[in-house]
Amino acid sequence: SGNLSAWSSAAIGGGDLSVSTAAALAGTRGMQAAINDNTTIYVTDDTPAAESHYRARFYFDPNSISMSSGDNHFIFYAISGTSKVVTRIQFRFTNSGGYQVRVQILNNSSAWTNSAWFGLSDAPHALEINWLAATNGGITLWIDGTQRAALTGIANSNYRVDRVRLG
């Protein structure tokens, strides 16, 4: 649409989060984030409704973001209710490994299980998750169409996805 109106809400950080044709990694438009301060910027989708199974795919380009070793950002959240994060994708930079991502999933006891870290080049990538709430729930992560992680046997049946946040 040329703007962020398709999302339920957006925290744009004074214009640091926007839509442009230059930011398109697929299609004709893309969302771009100018990371120039510590202000949180993101878009939210409130259309999931008590989903016990949630799958999402988006394109992500580190775009030469300047980060110190150990710096990290959560770039995707799936949320149960209004605020309980039940799965997330973490992005970081290390001097030894460059850009990396991992997926994390919350169990019924509020403990996180983490995948390994996976390297990302400084180029566009398709990131995809498949989350399942069950007695033996779990999450799968794909990077550029290749399965990289499968966290299974996670007791997370207490949760449902009611909203997601990207950014």
Side-chain angles (χ1 to χ4, degrees):
S1 66
N3 57 46
L4 299 170
S5 65
W7 295 90
S8 301
S9 63
I12 62 170
D16 290 339
L17 188 66
S18 61
V19 173
S20 75
T21 55
L25 300 179
T28 58
R29 293 183 180 96
M31 185 171 65
Q32 62 187 10
I35 311 297
N36 54 19
D37 56 34
N38 288 328
T39 302
T40 303
I41 53 177
Y42 57 87
V43 290
T44 302
D45 178 8
D46 290 333
T47 59
E51 304 292 339
S52 60
H53 180 216
Y54 188 81
R55 189 170 190 146
R57 181 179 190 186
F58 61 93
Y59 294 91
F60 177 75
D61 185 349
N63 203 27
S64 300
I65 183 173
S66 179
M67 298 172 72
S68 297
S69 187
D71 282 356
N72 70 85
H73 303 282
F74 291 104
I75 59 174
F76 178 87
Y77 289 122
I79 300 166
S80 185
T82 58
S83 62
K84 185 73 162 184
V85 176
V86 296
T87 196
R88 58 195 182 189
I89 298 175
Q90 189 175 12
F91 168 67
R92 76 173 182 183
F93 180 80
T94 67
N95 285 335
S96 60
Y99 297 117
Q100 299 176 326
V101 294
R102 74 175 175 183
V103 69
Q104 301 173 303
I105 184 171
L106 190 68
N107 70 18
N108 289 337
S109 300
S110 294
W112 289 100
T113 299
N114 305 317
S115 73
W117 289 99
F118 302 100
L120 286 184
S121 62
D122 189 9
H125 297 278
L127 302 179
E128 185 172 354
I129 61 156
N130 186 25
W131 177 86
L132 177 65
T135 303
N136 289 305
I139 189 164
T140 307
L141 169 69
W142 290 267
I143 300 173
D144 297 327
T146 300
Q147 182 178 319
R148 301 301 306 267
L151 303 176
T152 59
I154 308 294
N156 65 341
S157 58
N158 293 349
Y159 303 122
R160 298 293 180 264
V161 172
D162 296 299
R163 68 177 39 166
V164 294
R165 187 172 115 175
L166 179 64

